[in-house]
């Protein structure tokens, strides 16, 4: 592989440096030269960004040794590559104190004893740098194309890492979530851990790149070498490899998710309580053995609008990834317009609801905007044979939230709504409620008397007349008149004990 480094040492071999002499920083001539600047001012901060070789005739540093030393210190702090000084007109020699300072900082100083054309030096070195950049881009494009082709037929991600290892001749470590670190070659484990401790201070020999899938960190690639300095090409190749690797891993996850549909029958039977405990355990031993002793909860996501162009497989992967981030393992059944997530609590902590709330927040923030949905959780159960109960209660939560999306996502937060839902399924209860309250509805329909609304608000305000009148935006005399009419229809004792409880329940039942 071509070396894409222009160093002080290689600069010294150029034509205009034949008579030049290194007077300080001899041990650091491998400093990387990114550009060349001619500077004749002490105000250098706006012009030095790192890696520049500075050319000067000595005008700014001819004011004394202290000024010269401060100049060297500034250049070193700004990470300039080195300083070239033309001796003669403005400065005759480099003071010993300056040389000592530069040596202490390992900062190279080069002197010209004859007049040299600075413009020709900059033209020569800039042309060299530009040509190297062009060649670097060609190498990068060629590598990226080869890597793309390899990714199409590779059978494992190690093949992609091996290609980078051979191309760059560096050591590689790959840290993938849930797996042991892969080392290439395997003999460099000790060196990796040593350099990892010194990073990020030693970026010349150690680089890393995180891999993100579905907006979550999934792994990290490290490259390292003690035999040479890592260059810009190494960084770019690492970036390209990380992208190819992310695409490869995402493709694998996508295929796994598609293949997971083969488990749909078993998962569906589990949800409908059609499997024995032994059947469920056998399935989980192959599919997710660590979940067998977990607590479980079912989440249903009803997709209210869906078109064929939307990628539900990607959407499921996205949600699986968020759940995993907060300590949950999940498998999915797709049924009609619903995604049913059977969720195992891997952390087994009492804060499961807070963690699921965080999951919902991320889903709402990052999910596809063109996929509106209704979400609901079932009852949190402690054994896998009770998952069907969580599924049934999750369905009820979805049904309840369909009519009021402001309600909680969780079954356990909606006891009254779930009780009313079960009562509404019994025709006898509904008939009793309608029969009892029908005179009030008939009166309202005939005279627009607002009796049902008044009764509901009066019960809600615990019989406080002043507050009820304020809530209804009526004067108290009007409220008294309505209450008298209500008493004449359903009796004077409607605010007492069981009578009040029954009326509140009946009002809730028929309020659909």
């Amino acid at each position: 592989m071509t070396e894409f480094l222009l160093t002080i040492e290689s600069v010294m071999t150029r034509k205009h440096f034949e008579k030049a002499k290194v007077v300080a920083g001899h041990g650091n001539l491998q400093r990387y030269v990114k550009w060349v600047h001619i500077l004749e001012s002490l105000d250098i901060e706006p012009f030095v960004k790192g890696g520049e070789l500075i050319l000067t005739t000595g005008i700014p540093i001819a004011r004394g040794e202290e000024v010269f030393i401060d100049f060297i210190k500034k250049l070193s702090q700004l990470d300039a590559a080195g300083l070239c000084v033309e001796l003669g007109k403005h400065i005759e020699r480099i003071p010993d104190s300056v040389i000592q300072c530069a040596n202490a900082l390992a900062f190279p100083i080069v002197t010209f004893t004859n007049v040299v054309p600075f413009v020709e030096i900059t033209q020569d070195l800039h042309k060299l740098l530009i040509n190297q950049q062009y060649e670097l881009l060609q190498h990068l494009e060629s590598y990226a194309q080869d890597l793309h082709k390899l990714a199409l037929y590779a059978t494992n991600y190690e093949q992609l890492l091996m290609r980078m290892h051979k191309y760059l001749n560096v050591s590689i470590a790959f840290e993938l979530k849930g797996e042991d670190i892969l080392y290439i070659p395997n003999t460099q484990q000790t060196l990796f851990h040593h350099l990892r401790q010194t990073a990020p201070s030693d970026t010349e020999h150690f680089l890393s790149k995180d891999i993100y899938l579905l907006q979550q960190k999934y792994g990290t690639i490290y490259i390292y070498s003690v035999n040479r300095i890592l260059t810009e090409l190494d960084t770019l190749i690492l970036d390209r490899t990380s992208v190819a690797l992310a695409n490869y891993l995402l493709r694998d996850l996508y295929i796994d998710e598609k293949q997971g549909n083969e488990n749909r029958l078993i998962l569906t039977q589990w949800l409908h309580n059609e499997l024995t405990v032994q059947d469920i355990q056998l399935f989980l031993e192959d599919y997710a053995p660590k979940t067998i002793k977990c607590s479980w909860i079912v989440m249903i996501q009803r997709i209210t609008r869906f078109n064929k162009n939307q990628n539900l497989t990607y959407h499921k992967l996205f949600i699986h990834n968020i759940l995993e981030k907060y300590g949950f393992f999940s498998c999915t059944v797709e049924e009609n317009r619903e995604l049913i997530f059977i969720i195992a609590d891997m952390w087994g902590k009492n804060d499961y609801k807070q963690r699921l709330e965080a999951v919902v927040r991320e889903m709402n923030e990052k999910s596809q905007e063109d996929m509106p949905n209704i979400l609901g959780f079932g009852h949190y159960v402690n054994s896998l044979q009770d998952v069907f109960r969580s599924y049934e209660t999750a369905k009820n939560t979805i049904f309840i939230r369909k009519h009021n999306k402001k309600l909680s996502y969780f079954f356990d937060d909606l006891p009254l709504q779930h009780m009313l839902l079960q009562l509404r399924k019994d025709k006898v209860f509904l008939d009793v409620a309608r029969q009892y309250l029908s005179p009030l509805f008939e009166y309202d329909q005939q005279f627009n008397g607002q009796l049902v609304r008044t009764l509901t608000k009066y019960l809600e305000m615990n019989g406080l007349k002043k507050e009820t009148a304020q809530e209804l935006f009526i004067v108290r005399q009007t409220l008294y008149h309505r209450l008298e009419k209500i008493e004449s229809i359903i009796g004077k004792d409607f605010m007492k004990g069981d009578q009040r409880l029954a009326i509140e329940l009946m009002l809730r039942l028929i309020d659909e």
Side-chain angles (χ1 to χ4, degrees):
M1 183 189 72
T2 304
E3 185 66 59
F4 294 99
L5 273 179
L6 179 61
T7 63
I8 300 292
E9 187 175 49
S10 56
V11 165
M12 295 300 295
T13 64
R14 307 299 291 178
K15 173 185 175 183
H16 295 295
F17 287 79
E18 290 176 350
K19 297 182 180 179
K21 181 180 179 183
V22 178
V23 297
H26 297 80
N28 205 16
L29 299 183
Q30 294 300 316
R31 291 176 73 94
Y32 186 17
V33 177
K34 295 181 179 179
W35 205 242
V36 183
H37 269 327
I38 301 172
L39 284 180
E40 301 294 2
S41 168
L42 294 175
D43 183 21
I44 63 175
E45 284 86 350
F47 308 104
V48 181
K49 306 300 180 185
E52 293 89 352
L53 179 63
I54 306 301
L55 306 179
T56 182
T57 60
I59 294 175
I61 51 179
R63 304 174 188 176
E65 293 184 19
E66 290 185 5
V67 173
F68 201 162
I69 289 172
D70 287 342
F71 189 69
I72 294 297
K73 288 180 178 179
K74 267 191 187 180
L75 289 175
S76 178
Q77 289 170 359
L78 294 170
D79 201 29
L83 174 67
C84 297
V85 183
E86 183 184 272
L87 302 179
K89 184 175 180 181
H90 301 290
I91 183 169
E92 295 182 356
R93 58 182 288 274
I94 307 297
D96 292 339
S97 60
V98 173
I99 293 175
Q100 290 174 3
C101 175
N103 283 331
L105 296 170
F107 184 79
I109 298 179
V110 177
T111 58
F112 299 106
T113 54
N114 58 316
V115 176
V116 290
F118 280 0
V119 173
E120 291 183 16
I121 290 176
T122 57
Q123 287 177 342
D124 174 53
L125 295 182
H126 285 172
K127 181 180 178 180
L128 181 63
L129 287 166
I130 291 169
N131 287 339
Q132 284 187 346
Q133 287 294 315
Y134 177 72
E135 191 176 350
L136 181 150
L137 292 175
Q138 286 184 313
H139 278 260
L140 187 63
E141 179 64 23
S142 175
Y143 175 82
Q145 290 181 3
D146 289 344
L147 197 65
H148 177 69
K149 292 176 184 177
L150 175 61
L152 293 176
Y153 61 80
T155 57
N156 58 70
Y157 58 74
E158 189 173 349
Q159 292 174 262
L160 304 180
L161 295 171
M162 282 298 299
R163 177 61 60 91
M164 180 170 66
H165 167 64
K166 291 179 180 178
Y167 190 83
L168 295 179
N169 192 27
V170 294
S171 298
I172 296 172
F174 181 46
E175 194 171 24
L176 188 62
K177 183 170 63 174
E179 297 187 13
D180 294 333
I181 298 178
L182 171 68
Y183 302 94
I184 302 175
N186 198 43
T187 56
Q188 296 298 314
Q189 297 185 32
T190 304
L191 176 61
F192 165 73
H193 291 289
H194 170 71
L195 291 174
R196 191 181 194 181
Q197 290 177 352
T198 62
S201 58
D202 188 11
T203 55
E204 291 185 340
H205 298 281
F206 188 90
L207 293 172
S208 65
K209 182 70 177 180
D210 291 334
I211 294 177
Y212 284 83
L213 298 184
L214 306 168
Q215 303 178 8
Q216 303 292 339
K217 183 178 174 181
Y218 210 76
T220 306
I221 311 176
Y222 305 88
I223 62 173
Y224 50 101
S225 173
V226 291
N227 298 322
R228 66 175 180 84
I229 294 174
L230 299 178
T231 68
E232 183 180 1
L233 178 63
D234 294 305
T235 302
L236 294 172
I237 291 293
L238 178 60
D239 286 343
R240 294 297 190 279
T241 306
S242 69
V243 172
L245 198 54
N247 290 333
Y248 178 86
L249 293 170
L250 184 59
R251 185 188 73 187
D252 262 13
L253 288 174
Y254 191 92
I255 292 171
D256 287 345
E257 183 66 31
K258 282 285 191 183
Q259 291 173 343
N261 289 335
E262 297 173 5
N263 297 320
R264 178 177 175 178
L265 177 60
I266 296 175
L267 294 173
T268 302
Q269 290 174 329
W270 185 11
L271 289 171
H272 291 88
N273 199 27
E274 296 171 359
L275 296 177
T276 66
V277 175
Q278 290 74 20
D279 290 335
I280 301 171
Q281 288 177 338
L282 284 172
F283 166 70
L284 290 177
E285 282 174 3
D286 289 333
Y287 190 68
K290 293 182 179 179
T291 66
I292 291 177
K293 295 184 179 180
C294 287
S295 295
W296 298 81
I297 191 168
V298 172
M299 177 181 77
I300 299 177
Q301 184 181 36
R302 176 171 289 178
I303 310 300
T304 55
R305 289 202 306 271
F306 176 71
N307 62 65
K308 293 180 180 179
N309 294 324
Q310 288 171 326
N311 193 333
L312 273 184
T313 301
Y314 179 91
H315 181 71
K316 286 185 286 184
L317 279 173
F318 171 74
I319 295 176
H320 286 317
N321 211 43
I322 297 176
L323 284 165
E324 186 177 352
K325 175 182 176 182
Y326 290 97
F328 301 101
F329 171 86
S330 59
C331 43
T332 316
V333 178
E334 187 179 331
E335 203 168 79
N336 298 324
R337 289 184 302 169
E338 291 182 344
L339 296 178
I340 305 162
F341 294 84
I342 306 174
I343 301 169
D345 186 358
M346 302 296 290
W347 293 355
K349 297 179 180 178
N350 293 329
D351 64 344
Y352 77 92
K353 186 179 290 186
Q354 288 87 345
R355 288 183 282 129
L356 287 174
E357 286 172 344
V359 169
V360 173
R361 282 195 298 272
E362 289 205 27
M363 287 173 60
N364 290 336
E365 289 171 2
K366 302 175 183 177
S367 63
Q368 302 177 37
E369 295 180 359
D370 58 344
M371 193 182 287
N373 61 80
I374 300 171
L375 197 69
F377 291 92
H379 184 54
Y380 186 82
V381 297
N382 293 319
S383 60
L384 51 85
Q385 61 263 40
D386 286 331
V387 163
F388 81 95
R389 301 185 191 279
S390 186
Y391 173 54
E392 292 297 327
T393 49
K395 288 194 295 184
N396 290 341
T397 305
I398 285 288
F399 183 83
I400 292 167
R401 294 197 71 248
K402 182 174 68 173
H403 297 93
N404 187 351
K405 295 184 177 64
K406 293 182 179 179
L407 292 173
S408 172
Y409 296 101
F410 295 93
F411 162 81
D412 295 340
D413 293 340
L414 307 170
L416 177 60
Q417 287 82 2
H418 282 280
M419 183 176 68
L420 291 171
L421 180 61
Q422 296 306 315
L423 290 175
R424 287 191 186 109
K425 293 177 182 179
D426 193 317
K427 189 174 182 298
V428 174
F429 285 110
L430 280 174
D431 287 344
V432 169
R434 286 170 180 150
Q435 185 178 355
Y436 185 85
L437 296 174
S438 59
L440 294 176
F441 282 99
E442 289 170 3
Y443 183 89
D444 285 348
Q445 188 174 7
Q446 186 175 355
F447 301 105
N448 191 26
Q450 298 287 315
L451 297 187
V452 174
R453 181 166 179 260
T454 300
L455 176 59
T456 302
K457 186 59 67 176
Y458 187 59
L459 292 168
E460 185 182 319
M461 303 308 294
N462 292 315
L464 298 173
K465 294 182 175 63
K466 179 182 176 182
E467 287 76 5
T468 303
Q470 289 174 344
E471 287 289 318
L472 293 170
F473 300 102
I474 58 176
V475 297
R476 223 178 302 185
Q477 194 62 37
T478 302
L479 175 64
Y480 295 155
H481 174 73
R482 290 182 185 178
L483 292 174
E484 288 174 3
K485 193 63 184 177
I486 292 170
E487 288 179 356
S488 69
I489 295 174
I490 63 174
K492 293 183 178 181
D493 296 333
F494 72 88
M495 285 297 290
K496 292 182 179 179
D498 293 346
Q499 185 79 355
R500 172 181 172 176
L501 179 61
I503 291 172
E504 285 187 296
L505 192 57
M506 286 188 286
L507 285 169
R508 292 267 194 167
L509 275 173
I510 60 178
D511 180 24
E512 298 185 19

